[in-house]
Amino acid sequence: MTYQYWNERMETLPHAELETYQLEQLKKILAVAMRTPFYQKRLSEAGINSADEIRSLADIRRVPFTTKHDLRDGFPYGFLSVPKDEVIRLHASSGTTGTPTTIYFNKEDIVRWTNFVARSIYATGCNKTDVFQNMITYGLFTGGLGFHFGGEAVGMLVIPSGPGNTTRQFKLMQDFGTTVVHATPSFLLHVEAKMREEGVTRGSLALKRAFAGAEPYSEDTRRRIEDLLCIDVYNSYGLSEMNGPGVAFECQAKDGLHIWEDGYIAEIVNPDTLEPVPDGEVGELVLTCLCREASPILRYRTRDLTGFYTEPCSCGRTHRRLRRITGRTDDMLIINGVNLFPSQIEEVIMSIKEVGNNYLIVVEKEGVLDRLTVKIEVRPNIFMDDTRPLNALKERIRRTLQSMITINPRVELHESGSLPVSEGKAKRVQDNRPKDV
Ligand code: DLL
């Protein structure tokens, strides 16, 4: 396979040179961060009063971590490090609780972010001849405008469709010959189910690729979308605190996500001890944003669980690769004392061919015990009134799940298209247990 690079020199820079560059950028961003009262205080408490005290990349460990909590405390302008009249955009993530966290961009920040998204898109083999339908939420969420600007920078024809209304999405795809789409993986699965329902044939579409991210999904889910839609699916990782999408992305080798190390410093730490884990092991990803001046964030605890691949990538890029993110430290469910990540359930069920495109995990209290129910849609060719094979399937799924997660779940089978669908990030878990338990 021949690989194309958006910025060949930077993408293939020997790692030692990349590290030298990172150190320079780290010192610059530290100096910028010190303009905010928050970092001035935090850093001086840690004994850092000037950026020049950071002499090697390893010295980053002297910098205290920043958490979501810190960002919320600083709402709205606590992390702003340039005069307000230099800011040209803000994005915000509401998260699950109250106060949003807000990030600000000046002109150069937008250019730098756009370049990282363009580089990511280009790494998947797209170019200016592509027609790109951006089926993700626009607005305060970074996915819409982030990919929109990146797509335009590549020179693609960008259709800002946003999510929802699958009938209209199919019409746009057919009218304009869409070759690449962007959505959450759960919305892509929904699109595929709707395609069959509405009788849209694969032959009427020019689709070749999809970027899928903003939520965790398994390798089986990727393969399922690829097989059903006959396209290549590329994993896309990012978070608002680090600009949004374009932080880490799969190249055409599809073997881990290259984290753009000229824009971000990535560390993997043990979430309990906060010490670095041995290279290759899974832990919590900590990121420092080197490429945004207007609201710098240092050593941000992402809560995302991943690790580095240690071997070089066949594409020739020197930027290290992250493993598929399996979940967040705060996603973990404890069911009768057993730790469980929702991604473990997805991994099992999406490998079963009779299983359809949607599922929901429900946790309840029954007396003193926790009760786990997995509601699963079946493929549309499975008849719901044919109870014998259905019961056998249910039992097979239950047994497979039990052997993999060591919890005995209740399995419910549902008709294709009957479970709730979200246009953005899927809500996979309904934890109905009383909160104080
Ligand atoms: O989701 C930014 C984004 C937009 C990424 C479009 C990719 C595509 P937030 O709303 O701040 O930002 O959510 C960030 O989503 O910390 C992860 O927990 C999760 N996440 C994002 N991408 C992936 C992925 C955007 N590829 C949070 N795999 C992150 C697993 C992901 N989880």
Side-chain angles (χ1 to χ4, degrees), residues 141-143 182 214-216 235-240 304 325 328 425:
F141 179 59
T142 53
H182 171 219
E215 65 186 12
N235 195 354
S236 144
Y237 170 79
L239 58 161
S240 1
D304 291 324
I325 283 94
R328 299 170 54 81
K425 296 175 193 261

Side-chain angles (χ1 to χ4, degrees), residues 46-176:
I48 305 172
N49 293 299
S50 143
D52 288 333
E53 290 168 39
I54 300 296
R55 297 203 176 81
S56 70
L57 264 191
D59 281 347
I60 196 172
R61 291 180 57 193
R62 289 181 54 200
V63 175
F65 295 104
T66 306
T67 63
K68 188 105 183 165
H69 197 82
D70 295 325
L71 299 181
R72 290 218 173 98
D73 282 352
F75 179 83
Y77 287 122
F79 282 76
L80 187 67
S81 62
V82 296
K84 225 194 282 177
D85 61 3
E86 283 179 23
V87 174
I88 62 162
R89 169 114 58 95
L90 67 77
H91 279 283
S93 95
S94 59
T96 43
T97 54
T99 323
T101 56
T102 316
I103 46 161
Y104 301 95
F105 298 82
N106 66 19
K107 267 193 185 145
E108 293 76 30
D109 295 337
I110 292 286
V111 171
R112 281 186 286 260
W113 178 28
T114 297
N115 254 302
F116 283 117
V117 181
R119 184 196 284 184
S120 307
I121 291 174
Y122 207 68
T124 68
C126 290
N127 60 38
K128 67 192 286 288
T129 64
D130 278 292
V131 178
F132 171 42
Q133 195 160 320
N134 197 12
M135 306 195 295
I136 212 149
T137 311
Y138 278 67
L140 289 176
F141 179 59
T142 53
L145 284 178
F147 267 88
H148 186 100
F149 272 55
E152 285 186 352
V154 169
M156 308 195 288
L157 168 57
V158 183
I159 307 175
S161 66
N165 198 340
T166 42
T167 309
R168 192 172 124 260
Q169 302 281 5
F170 296 138
K171 179 93 171 58
L172 289 170
M173 287 180 197
Q174 287 166 334
D175 288 347
F176 301 108

Side-chain angles (χ1 to χ4, degrees), residues 345-399:
I345 294 189
E346 173 164 331
E347 235 176 275
V348 174
I349 60 180
M350 283 298 173
S351 65
I352 298 172
K353 71 174 194 315
E354 293 90 342
V355 167
N357 289 357
N358 201 357
Y359 69 94
L360 181 69
I361 299 164
V362 182
V363 192
E364 281 149 330
K365 206 81 189 158
E366 256 182 23
V368 290
L369 290 180
D370 298 324
R371 174 45 104 170
L372 173 73
T373 305
V374 189
K375 301 184 176 196
I376 300 173
E377 282 187 11
V378 291
R379 306 279 310 152
N381 55 355
I382 294 179
F383 292 108
M384 292 306 286
D385 24 10
D386 217 350
T387 48
R388 273 218 352 233
L390 217 54
N391 282 339
L393 172 63
K394 195 155 99 174
E395 181 54 17
R396 177 150 59 87
I397 297 174
R398 191 198 59 75
R399 260 189 285 115

